[in-house]
Amino acid sequence: IWPGAAAPGLAAVTRQGPYFALGDRPMFLMGSQAYWGQNGSVTARSPLNFERDFSLMQDYGLHFSRSFVPFKTDSDRRQSDAMVHLAQQHRVVFYHTPNLSNTAVPEKLGEETALARTLGERYRGVPWLAVDVCNEPSLWVTDETLVAPFNGYLQQRYQTTAALRQAWGTDEVELGQVKLARISDRWDDLRAYDTHRFLALVQQRWADANRAAVRDADPARLVSVGLMQNFGDSVHLWDPPVCHANLDFTDRHYYGPPVGQPAQLQSIDQRLVGKPLIMGECGAKDHPTFATADPWGMGDDDERYNQRFDYLVHHAFGLGATALCSWHWRDPIEGIFPCGQVRSDRVPRPSASIMRAL
């Protein structure tokens, strides 16, 4: 997308040790999610709104913005071009999230890697850009497309039905016909271990394939996957250390009491091997109607909202993160989603001044 046209002389985002660097300067970047793929809304997808949002972010000293950006059609890609171009113009690192869902189906993975390669080709040389393959992907034990590859994993690991039965302590399984089942909480349950390990490896291979496709076209591009807090539950799973093992940086999301944030960042910390870590999504709702009736349990008033971001930013920086991105920048005019640093009319919440001061 016209390298240099939006940002002449702008140094590319690179890695310098466990930090992002802009040119030769290691940086701690702050910002907010700008867009979450509301392509059916004329107002939400307006380039004029993108221009105003990125301009205001720049004014507040915020230089990092993640966005969900559909990328399948020509219309999607023109929309993406507008966001990427305007972010560069306003000195905002654009964390492009095309939302390519994790999969073990070869045909679907092939379609995704083709899109990832196209994204890399289209934005080769754009300086302030990184790629988030998918927002919060997970794998479910109820997914029938995983049954065949799971049996392939078990065949390679155990070779025979007798060995599988002995390891799992049951005669009720037959190699080649094993269904994924709810993961138990017993430490000695090898079936739970095999299920977890298999799902984690499927997610890792999917992430690696899409990173490789982006970098085939754009070898210097930094690529990661933003994962939810924790590691899933008994029926669906994500495993950040495994998923991030071969990616360019680690990315954790967090919603909850601020005191829980440090443990979530620690669980993705791979700085020892020179890999940056970021908090790619965090926040709460600041609106009177959510103070007592918030499904997240995080209905804030202005004072608590200020305290939340004061805490989250200081601790992310102190724990070695290289970026923090709040959900989100501006409340939409299309519906009530009061998580923004600014309201729908761009009047700032007090927390925006906290972010600016930090």
Side-chain angles (χ1 to χ4, degrees), residues 216-275:
D216 279 349
D218 192 357
R221 187 64 63 206
L222 301 180
V223 180
S224 190
V225 173
L227 293 166
M228 285 184 279
Q229 63 212 53
N230 302 323
F231 288 75
D233 54 34
S234 63
V235 293
H236 80 310
L237 174 141
W238 55 95
D239 191 317
V242 176
C243 183
H244 289 144
N246 304 313
L247 304 182
D248 298 300
F249 56 97
T250 64
D251 179 357
R252 175 66 102 178
H253 300 175
Y254 181 66
Y255 293 94
V259 294
Q261 178 211 27
Q264 296 296 328
L265 284 175
Q266 187 277 332
S267 69
I268 64 162
D269 190 349
Q270 297 180 18
R271 290 176 298 151
L272 186 64
V273 294
K275 191 173 294 189

Side-chain angles (χ1 to χ4, degrees), residues 19 29 48 53 68 83 129 145 155 181 201 219 252 260 264 274 277 281 285 309 316:
Y19 293 95
L29 300 170
L48 180 59
D53 286 339
F68 300 163
M83 287 185 267
L129 182 84
T145 69
Q155 177 69 51
L201 290 174
R252 175 66 102 178
Q264 296 296 328
L277 70 94
E281 189 177 317
K285 296 180 180 180
F309 284 102

Side-chain angles (χ1 to χ4, degrees), residues 66 95-102 130-138 203-211 222-228 238-253 268 275 278-280:
R66 174 171 170 260
Y95 193 21
H96 195 299
T97 308
N99 279 330
L100 308 176
S101 301
N102 49 200
V131 176
D132 172 15
V133 176
C134 186
N135 171 60
E136 300 180 353
S138 62
Q203 190 171 68
Q204 182 190 70
R205 291 171 188 141
W206 159 82
D208 289 354
N210 279 295
R211 174 190 179 270
L222 301 180
V223 180
S224 190
V225 173
L227 293 166
M228 285 184 279
W238 55 95
D239 191 317
V242 176
C243 183
H244 289 144
N246 304 313
L247 304 182
D248 298 300
F249 56 97
T250 64
D251 179 357
R252 175 66 102 178
H253 300 175
I268 64 162
K275 191 173 294 189
I278 75 167
M279 180 144 279

Side-chain angles (χ1 to χ4, degrees), residues 93-320:
V93 175
F94 192 79
Y95 193 21
H96 195 299
T97 308
N99 279 330
L100 308 176
S101 301
N102 49 200
T103 182
V105 178
E107 295 78 12
K108 184 177 179 184
L109 183 58
E111 293 172 0
E112 290 188 353
T113 55
L115 286 173
R117 190 171 293 106
T118 299
L119 190 152
E121 291 167 351
R122 196 173 188 95
Y123 301 132
R124 185 189 297 119
V126 171
W128 282 21
L129 182 84
V131 176
D132 172 15
V133 176
C134 186
N135 171 60
E136 300 180 353
S138 62
L139 290 164
W140 292 76
V141 298
T142 53
D143 184 350
E144 290 294 326
T145 69
L146 294 171
V147 173
F150 183 47
N151 280 273
Y153 165 86
L154 296 175
Q155 177 69 51
Q156 185 175 26
R157 178 164 163 78
Y158 293 107
Q159 307 295 317
T160 67
T161 294
L164 174 64
R165 288 176 174 176
Q166 182 178 14
W168 284 12
T170 177
D171 291 333
E172 297 180 358
V173 291
E174 185 76 30
L175 200 57
Q177 301 174 31
V178 181
K179 297 273 191 179
L180 285 90
R182 182 183 292 271
I183 300 170
S184 79
D185 59 359
R186 287 184 12 236
W187 285 101
D188 62 345
D189 186 349
L190 275 180
R191 181 171 192 160
Y193 168 83
D194 282 329
T195 304
H196 184 120
R197 183 64 177 166
F198 163 74
L199 293 173
L201 290 174
V202 167
Q203 190 171 68
Q204 182 190 70
R205 291 171 188 141
W206 159 82
D208 289 354
N210 279 295
R211 174 190 179 270
V214 172
R215 289 174 69 98
D216 279 349
D218 192 357
R221 187 64 63 206
L222 301 180
V223 180
S224 190
V225 173
L227 293 166
M228 285 184 279
Q229 63 212 53
N230 302 323
F231 288 75
D233 54 34
S234 63
V235 293
H236 80 310
L237 174 141
W238 55 95
D239 191 317
V242 176
C243 183
H244 289 144
N246 304 313
L247 304 182
D248 298 300
F249 56 97
T250 64
D251 179 357
R252 175 66 102 178
H253 300 175
Y254 181 66
Y255 293 94
V259 294
Q261 178 211 27
Q264 296 296 328
L265 284 175
Q266 187 277 332
S267 69
I268 64 162
D269 190 349
Q270 297 180 18
R271 290 176 298 151
L272 186 64
V273 294
K275 191 173 294 189
L277 70 94
I278 75 167
M279 180 144 279
E281 189 177 317
C282 59
K285 296 180 180 180
D286 178 7
H287 190 276
T289 60
F290 290 95
T292 58
D294 178 8
W296 295 347
M298 292 177 293
D300 285 355
D301 56 23
D302 281 351
E303 182 179 1
R304 289 177 58 198
Y305 205 63
N306 292 349
Q307 292 170 348
R308 180 181 298 276
F309 284 102
D310 196 8
Y311 184 103
L312 294 177
V313 172
H314 274 97
H315 281 74
F317 178 76
L319 291 165

Side-chain angles (χ1 to χ4, degrees), residues 28-36 54 57 60 62-68 92-93 95 97 132 135-136 251-255 261 278-286 296 300 305-306 308-313 316 322-331 337-343 349-356 358:
F28 176 70
L29 300 170
M30 293 163 50
S32 297
Q33 177 108 5
Y35 184 73
W36 50 96
F54 289 137
M57 283 185 195
Y60 272 76
L62 302 179
H63 297 287
F64 192 85
S65 184
R66 174 171 170 260
S67 287
F68 300 163
V92 173
V93 175
Y95 193 21
T97 308
D132 172 15
N135 171 60
E136 300 180 353
D251 179 357
R252 175 66 102 178
H253 300 175
Y254 181 66
Y255 293 94
Q261 178 211 27
I278 75 167
M279 180 144 279
E281 189 177 317
C282 59
K285 296 180 180 180
D286 178 7
W296 295 347
D300 285 355
Y305 205 63
N306 292 349
R308 180 181 298 276
F309 284 102
D310 196 8
Y311 184 103
L312 294 177
V313 172
T322 194
L324 178 141
C325 188
S326 78
W327 180 284
H328 47 248
W329 173 242
R330 175 174 54 85
D331 292 352
F337 202 6
C339 304
Q341 297 298 325
V342 301
R343 304 182 196 279
R349 283 189 170 88
S351 60
S353 295
I354 295 283
M355 297 281 274
R356 175 188 258 172
L358 292 171

